[in-house]
Amino acid sequence: MESVAAFAWNGWQASSGISGNLGLEYAALYEAKRQGIKRIQCFTENLQVQLENHLSIERGLRAALANDEFQLLLQPQWRLQDQVIFGFEALLRWRSASGDFIAPGEFIQVAEKTGLIVKIGEWVVLKALSYLETWTKMGITDVGLAVNVSPVQLKTGHFADFLERAKGALQGRPSLLEIEITEETLLEGHDDELSVIKDLERIRTMGFKISIDDFGTGYSSLQYLRQFPADVVKIDKSFVSTGGVCLAEPEICRAITMMADALGMGVIAEGVETKAQLTQLIDLGCPHGQGYLVSPAVAFDEATELLLKR
Ligand code: C2E
Ligand code: MG
Ligand code: MG
């Protein structure tokens, strides 16, 4: 094993350069930066494995884009009172060469680090728009679709332009498409001379909806919520279900619901798995849910059947 070291120190960074192997030095440097400032990281076998894994996913993702190996599944969002579906969240899957579906947790990070998320994210939006167009042709015009958007996509500064060009497909009903961002996006948006926040405001002015995903797991800064009023807050599933029958954190669910209400925002509880959780959520005033209790994410045809059965 070659010996390689990298340093990240108060914004200053360096790799030793003694190995002549840029890949290894990059891996050590990246790890040093990932772990925070004031770190010295030696290259280890573990890092070698991570680097190889990263490179293999990166190669796979490039091929996946070229060979149409992605699929966009849809998970219903429903009124808690009667479980009537009013929308779906679009969730990405990657069909590997062996035919298995790979969940985003295994590849989104690499897609973000390599910038491939920009092209993948555009594919997601165009696919979602094509689903909405098909429903419109079938006379289904009251069902929205939410897509997850990475901070990396917003930081390019071109995402709002992309949506401006793409929105023609919605025939004057842009509110059918919802952009899901995380609290991290709002925080980083402020570091970025407000350009991300400005783009989000422009996206909202164009008529798209914006929701804050996984609310409560990030910075939960009320200051940002005040400055950037989103349309919907999604209570993170860790507050709803951790495998038990009852709500994992009822008081946090109640507090987020009351906060969203007071700020005039909609609220959706993620990860609703049991009837007991459903009842508790209704009792504490939460109007909407998403989770395995009603359905996991399904293919477009199955989602359409669910809509026709409403
Ligand atoms: P998310 O946006 O918070 O999506 C919800 C995740 O919870 C999904 O995992 C969904 O399958 C899972 N889930 C839904 N109902 C339940 C439930 O009742 N119990 C439990 N335990 N889990 C439930 P998935 O599809 O693996 O996606 C994971 C994350 O990957 C998403 O979290 C989102 O952050 C990201 N992601 C998914 N699709 C995309 C995409 O197109 N672009 C980007 N940038 N990120 C995506
Ligand atoms: Mg989401
Ligand atoms: Mg979520």
Side-chain angles (χ1 to χ4, degrees):
M1 176 61 50
E2 288 174 83
S3 134
V4 181
F7 313 92
W9 202 273
N10 285 339
W12 179 84
Q13 62 187 55
S15 59
S16 70
I18 52 170
S19 77
N21 182 333
L22 277 178
L24 301 190
E25 284 163 18
Y26 169 79
L29 181 58
Y30 184 80
E31 185 58 17
K33 287 185 76 183
R34 193 186 67 78
Q35 293 197 21
I37 55 171
K38 299 185 181 172
R39 287 282 314 171
I40 294 176
Q41 175 70 47
C42 289
F43 189 81
T44 61
E45 263 177 64
N46 194 18
L47 276 180
Q48 169 84 36
V49 173
Q50 277 179 34
L51 179 64
E52 280 168 10
N53 193 29
H54 175 110
L55 291 174
S56 126
I57 294 174
E58 181 181 346
R59 267 193 304 273
L61 287 176
R62 287 186 197 284
L65 270 169
N67 305 331
D68 203 16
E69 290 170 12
F70 290 114
Q71 195 188 10
L72 202 57
L73 298 186
L74 303 179
Q75 184 175 36
Q77 299 178 324
W78 27 276
R79 293 195 306 237
L80 290 172
Q81 282 289 351
D82 50 14
Q83 290 105 66
V84 169
I85 297 171
F86 64 85
F88 290 87
E89 176 175 3
L91 293 164
L92 188 61
R93 297 289 179 270
W94 171 18
R95 200 176 50 248
S96 70
S98 60
D100 297 331
F101 282 102
I102 306 170
E106 293 184 44
F107 62 85
I108 289 285
Q109 265 197 354
V110 175
E112 288 183 330
K113 277 183 211 155
T114 53
L116 285 167
I117 193 69
V118 175
K119 281 272 163 268
I120 296 173
E122 289 183 357
W123 180 89
V124 166
V125 169
L126 294 176
K127 186 55 109 181
L129 291 178
S130 78
Y131 289 169
L132 285 168
E133 269 184 298
T134 308
W135 284 338
T136 301
K137 282 186 195 140
M138 295 170 68
I140 303 170
T141 54
D142 59 341
V143 174
L145 256 187
V147 292
N148 291 281
V149 173
S150 150
V152 176
Q153 287 170 266
L154 282 155
K155 280 180 160 187
T156 60
H158 302 305
F159 187 65
D161 294 333
F162 166 74
L163 284 182
E164 181 89 62
R165 290 194 298 276
K167 78 173 188 189
L170 288 170
Q171 299 170 7
R173 287 173 302 118
S175 63
L176 290 181
L177 189 73
E178 186 171 307
I179 306 300
E180 285 197 10
I181 56 166
T182 55
E183 293 165 273
E184 183 197 348
T185 306
L186 289 183
L187 186 89
E188 292 189 4
H190 279 256
D191 289 348
D192 212 10
E193 292 172 11
L194 295 183
S195 65
V196 167
I197 303 288
K198 277 203 188 118
D199 273 3
L200 286 170
E201 276 162 0
R202 189 176 145 212
I203 289 167
R204 246 187 130 214
T205 309
M206 282 189 249
F208 298 102
K209 282 183 26 188
I210 295 191
S211 57
I212 303 185
D213 204 359
D214 306 341
F215 189 81
T217 56
Y219 302 92
S220 307
S221 166
L222 301 184
Q223 172 78 345
Y224 295 156
L225 275 192
R226 192 176 58 85
Q227 285 180 15
F228 179 74
D231 298 279
V232 177
V233 165
K234 298 187 75 180
I235 303 176
D236 186 67
K237 59 179 184 289
S238 62
F239 303 128
V240 176
S241 181
T242 41
V245 173
C246 294
L247 271 186
E249 299 289 349
E251 292 316 327
I252 293 179
C253 292
R254 187 193 307 278
I256 296 177
T257 302
M258 286 172 69
M259 181 209 70
D261 245 13
L263 293 174
M265 299 158 97
V267 58
I268 300 180
E270 294 192 273
V272 185
E273 294 181 352
T274 69
K275 278 223 155 113
Q277 290 160 0
L278 173 87
T279 312
Q280 280 178 286
L281 284 164
I282 293 173
D283 288 349
L284 61 79
C286 180
H288 299 134
Q290 178 180 339
Y292 298 156
L293 177 65
V294 165
S295 171
V298 294
F300 175 70
D301 288 349
E302 206 176 321
T304 307
E305 270 174 40
L306 289 173
L307 285 179
L308 294 174
K309 274 197 259 163
R310 278 189 303 174

